Amino acid sequence: MVDEASKINHDNHLLLDQPCLRLPYELLRKNFRSAHFQFEKESTFVKTLLKETANGSLNGKTSPQDVVKNLDQMLAKMRGLKRKLTTYAEEENRLYRQIDARVAHLHELASVSTVDDVKYEAWSRQRLDRLLVDYMLRHGYNSSAISLADDKAMRDLVDIDTFVVMSKIRKSLEGGSVQEALAWCSENKKELRRMQSSLEFMLRSQQFIEMIRANSQPEIEAINYARKFIQPFHDTYPEEVKQLSGLLAYRPGTEPATYASLYSASRWQKLADKFVEEYLKLLGLPMVPLLHIALSSGLSALKTPACHSARSQGQGGVAIKNKSSSAAAAAQNGSNDTTTEPSLSSQPRQHHGTASLTTRVCPICSTELNALARNVRYAHHGKSRLLEHDLMLLPNGRVYGKARLDEYAAKSGLESGRVKDLVTGEVFDAAEMRKVFVT
């Protein structure tokens, strides 16, 4: 009989892997739209030119030399269309290959029923490698991500090309250039309009600002640019357009505080962040790395209020927590930790053995995971099989089962009516203990 605790919930696993399947289909749709646009554009041109050439030849208005010239032009257009369609076909085959590989990868999970299965361990390791590649690609570590994907032979399971394009445009924005981002907006104009995105307006605004910054006096070029690219957004962003128009009267360094933010260099980073947000939203990808999403569920399952308490941070001793009792208490009162704690690096170093013991017992209290888990919610535990019977609360805030305290007191040779903390070694009167009730 399969233990319920080790049984795999396939639906929950697939929640994390939705982008793995969704993205190739989104790219297939985009590839098809691009191919269809090119076909319609070139075929319309050829049909129109063919009709004009045929009519002119029949009416005698087109000379034989012009007919031959038009035919050569039509052939050149069709050859160019063939090359473009070949490229789109290759991209389509690549995406279908990705879909097949990803479906096969997820099908392996369907054949596994418990986490104890050897196949599940291998599958989980491969998924962890995918999450690491996704994390590195999102943060611009493209070379490392490609090396890992090639080393694990899973190029078809990760979206390297998609994130490389995103990283390239993001770096161009951080470097002070909007050309590549504007070209991307032009390619996806319909989708961005449907999303009511403000990215194109922000890019056009920044380009206008840079034109004003580059000239000591307002030039007709900047005014014409504003009329062509800024004015059409007046109905959607009236206040922003008015503010941009005011830049024609103020040079950098002489502007009032109202316009100072428009000349700020920090706008480039905001543009880069906005582009990444719209890029991921357009493709249906989550805004945070999949690795963080996977970690958050595990961190939430382990996190208790004591993980970020002053006691566990090294102020007044370190608490070894009973995870089940703390989580049950948090679930009962519905609390959530939103207090801003000092960083771990600012905490005084522990010179006794309890700090190292805490980090070994509780992963959330470790230096590596404590900060990452700070904003994660506590898990809701309806019941726990790990609670000891007859729990008692010591004056120092630690909770143990009464039988274990009595046994430890006897082994330590304490007189009757005295108990000893199993971790810190502190001794208390039994009358100072309080009974703990967990509902």
Side-chain angles (χ1 to χ4, degrees):
M1 183 176 180
V2 178
D3 185 8
E4 289 295 327
S6 63
K7 188 177 180 180
I8 295 178
N9 189 322
H10 296 88
D11 293 338
N12 288 342
H13 276 72
L14 293 178
L15 287 176
L16 185 63
D17 292 305
Q18 285 184 14
C20 182
L21 282 179
R22 183 189 299 121
L23 183 58
Y25 285 104
E26 291 293 332
L27 296 178
L28 274 173
R29 287 200 309 136
K30 181 181 178 181
N31 186 72
F32 175 78
R33 289 196 305 268
S34 300
H36 184 265
F37 173 78
Q38 290 293 336
F39 178 81
E40 290 294 327
K41 178 183 176 181
E42 302 297 347
S43 62
T44 300
F45 175 83
V46 170
K47 290 176 182 178
T48 302
L49 184 58
L50 179 60
K51 184 177 180 180
E52 292 176 355
T53 303
N55 291 335
S57 179
L58 292 174
N59 297 334
K61 295 181 179 180
T62 304
S63 64
Q65 292 80 7
D66 290 336
V67 172
V68 173
K69 182 179 178 181
N70 289 344
L71 287 174
D72 290 339
Q73 190 175 359
M74 286 185 282
L75 288 173
K77 283 287 184 180
M78 297 308 294
R79 291 192 186 99
L81 177 61
K82 181 181 179 181
R83 287 193 297 271
K84 293 178 182 178
L85 292 180
T86 300
T87 303
Y88 289 126
E90 293 174 352
E91 174 68 8
E92 183 176 330
N93 291 333
R94 185 185 71 84
L95 292 172
Y96 278 127
R97 187 172 64 251
Q98 280 191 352
I99 292 175
D100 291 341
R102 297 178 187 201
V103 170
H105 172 66
L106 297 179
H107 182 69
E108 293 177 7
L109 177 65
S111 62
V112 181
S113 58
T114 66
V115 296
D116 299 326
D117 196 316
V118 178
K119 294 181 180 179
Y120 179 75
E121 181 180 357
W123 187 89
S124 297
R125 287 184 179 276
Q126 188 174 40
R127 182 171 69 170
L128 176 59
D129 291 333
R130 287 198 297 106
L131 300 183
L132 291 173
V133 171
D134 174 83
Y135 178 86
M136 289 188 286
L137 288 172
R138 286 172 179 265
H139 288 78
Y141 305 117
N142 298 333
S143 299
S144 299
I146 293 173
S147 298
L148 178 59
D150 290 340
D151 183 59
K152 300 297 182 179
M154 57 177 189
R155 275 259 188 168
D156 290 333
L157 299 180
V158 292
D159 308 300
I160 293 177
D161 295 339
T162 300
F163 283 104
V164 166
V165 172
M166 184 190 78
S167 178
K168 181 180 179 182
I169 299 177
R170 179 182 60 195
K171 288 181 179 179
S172 70
L173 287 172
E174 293 173 344
S177 173
V178 299
Q179 299 302 326
E180 293 186 10
L182 283 173
W184 181 83
C185 288
S186 179
E187 293 176 2
N188 302 275
K189 195 165 188 175
K190 292 183 180 179
E191 290 76 14
L192 292 174
R193 188 184 299 116
R194 191 180 303 116
M195 292 164 46
Q196 298 181 344
S197 172
S198 61
L199 178 61
E200 184 179 359
F201 173 70
M202 294 175 65
L203 294 172
R204 294 294 184 186
S205 300
Q206 190 63 36
Q207 195 170 32
F208 176 73
I209 293 170
E210 296 305 316
M211 293 177 70
I212 297 295
R213 194 200 306 272
N215 297 289
S216 59
Q217 297 294 330
E219 297 288 343
I220 191 65
E221 180 183 355
I223 297 175
N224 290 336
Y225 181 89
R227 289 173 177 171
K228 183 177 181 180
F229 296 109
I230 304 297
Q231 190 61 30
F233 291 98
H234 182 271
D235 293 337
T236 310
Y237 310 103
E239 296 301 323
E240 290 83 352
V241 171
K242 290 178 182 179
Q243 191 178 22
L244 287 170
S245 302
L247 292 180
L248 293 170
Y250 296 102
R251 303 290 89 199
T254 64
E255 75 280 359
T258 308
Y259 296 94
S261 61
L262 296 178
Y263 286 117
S264 174
S266 63
R267 285 178 59 89
W268 287 108
Q269 185 59 50
K270 292 180 181 178
L271 275 176
D273 295 339
K274 180 65 175 178
F275 164 75
V276 171
E277 179 184 343
E278 298 297 329
Y279 188 90
L280 296 176
K281 185 177 179 180
L282 183 67
L283 295 176
L285 296 174
M287 300 300 172
V288 297
L290 296 176
L291 181 62
H292 285 185
I293 298 176
L295 281 174
S296 64
S297 59
L299 294 176
S300 178
L302 296 173
K303 181 180 176 182
T304 71
C307 289
H308 292 93
S309 66
R311 184 181 299 276
S312 66
Q313 297 289 320
Q315 301 174 2
V318 180
I320 301 297
K321 305 172 293 300
N322 186 307
K323 286 290 181 183
S324 302
S325 60
S326 300
Q332 181 182 8
N333 58 30
S335 64
N336 191 20
D337 184 17
T338 57
T339 305
T340 302
E341 297 283 344
S343 63
L344 293 177
S345 59
S346 64
Q347 300 297 337
R349 183 180 297 275
Q350 296 289 329
H351 293 288
H352 50 78
T354 57
S356 60
L357 181 59
T358 302
T359 56
R360 288 200 302 269
V361 173
C362 174
I364 308 302
C365 291
S366 66
T367 305
E368 295 80 8
L369 296 179
N370 189 268
L372 184 61
R374 188 174 300 279
N375 297 322
V376 174
R377 293 182 177 273
Y378 301 118
H380 174 74
H381 295 273
K383 60 180 181 178
S384 176
R385 294 175 296 178
L386 303 178
L387 290 177
E388 298 183 61
H389 295 290
D390 205 8
L391 290 175
M392 305 300 294
L393 175 67
L394 298 181
N396 62 358
R398 302 174 187 276
V399 178
Y400 302 98
K402 188 175 185 304
R404 195 146 62 105
L405 286 172
D406 292 340
E407 180 184 356
Y408 192 63
K411 289 182 179 179
S412 301
L414 299 180
E415 62 269 20
S416 177
R418 305 280 284 176
V419 293
K420 186 176 183 180
D421 192 300
L422 279 69
V423 176
T424 65
E426 299 173 85
V427 179
F428 305 97
D429 288 330
E432 297 181 277
M433 296 190 301
R434 296 290 182 270
K435 189 171 181 60
V436 176
F437 297 92
V438 180
T439 58

